[in-house]
Amino acid sequence: MKILVMSDSHGRSDLVQKCIEQHPDTQAVLFLGDVLLDIRGMDKRFPDKQFHFVRGNCDFDSDVPLEKIVTLQGTDILLTHGHAHSVYYGLDALVGCARKKGAKIALFGHTHVPFNKYLDGIYVLNPGSLS
């Protein structure tokens, strides 16, 4: 299964759409917050894909959860924007949360810096800012 992970589009829905179009074989799109309006409606444009998202610190007045567990091909994945786990100051809280929830992968945004590492038994990834 091919999964597309995006975060921090900050009002650039054109970039979100372009990124999805550039990866036509993607089966699931995971959006990690900031700005949810950019991902809204993409499920109508791309009905062949699954969409999962969480809200970020710039997604005011949203009822979308701060974090979510998604199971794809039998693997539990933690989706979060990261600000609630203070990711600027380290990843221990994020890794601990993933472990507590039984996730094998933790995806986060917020810092705008790409990151990919295996930490204490959890794959941790930040796609960086799309904008």
Side-chain angles (χ1 to χ4, degrees), residues 28-97:
V29 178
L30 310 181
F31 185 80
L32 307 175
D34 281 0
V35 168
L36 283 171
L37 287 176
D38 298 337
I39 197 75
R40 298 281 191 181
M42 292 295 169
D43 58 335
K44 305 286 188 275
R45 290 183 182 147
F46 304 97
D48 60 323
K49 300 177 188 333
Q50 296 178 44
F51 286 84
H52 301 278
F53 42 86
V54 292
R55 70 180 155 106
N57 61 300
C58 293
D59 294 311
F60 310 108
D61 299 324
S62 174
D63 60 349
V64 172
L66 283 172
E67 60 186 42
K68 178 180 181 179
I69 296 289
V70 174
T71 303
L72 297 174
Q73 290 196 319
T75 300
D76 288 342
I77 304 168
L78 172 66
L79 278 58
T80 186
H81 185 63
H83 64 293
H85 297 287
S86 303
V87 294
Y88 274 123
Y89 305 103
L91 298 174
D92 291 343
L94 175 66
V95 169
C97 178

Side-chain angles (χ1 to χ4, degrees), residues 114-126:
F115 181 87
N116 181 13
K117 223 173 221 183
Y118 188 69
L119 298 173
D120 200 23
I122 307 289
Y123 289 101
V124 181
L125 176 113
N126 181 332

Side-chain angles (χ1 to χ4, degrees), residues 4 6 12-30 38-53 130:
L4 180 60
M6 292 185 273
R12 297 295 309 270
S13 60
D14 59 317
L15 293 179
V16 171
Q17 182 172 332
K18 183 177 180 180
C19 193
I20 297 169
E21 289 171 348
Q22 288 177 341
H23 299 279
D25 54 341
T26 294
Q27 295 163 306
V29 178
L30 310 181
D38 298 337
I39 197 75
R40 298 281 191 181
M42 292 295 169
D43 58 335
K44 305 286 188 275
R45 290 183 182 147
F46 304 97
D48 60 323
K49 300 177 188 333
Q50 296 178 44
F51 286 84
H52 301 278
F53 42 86
L130 188 58

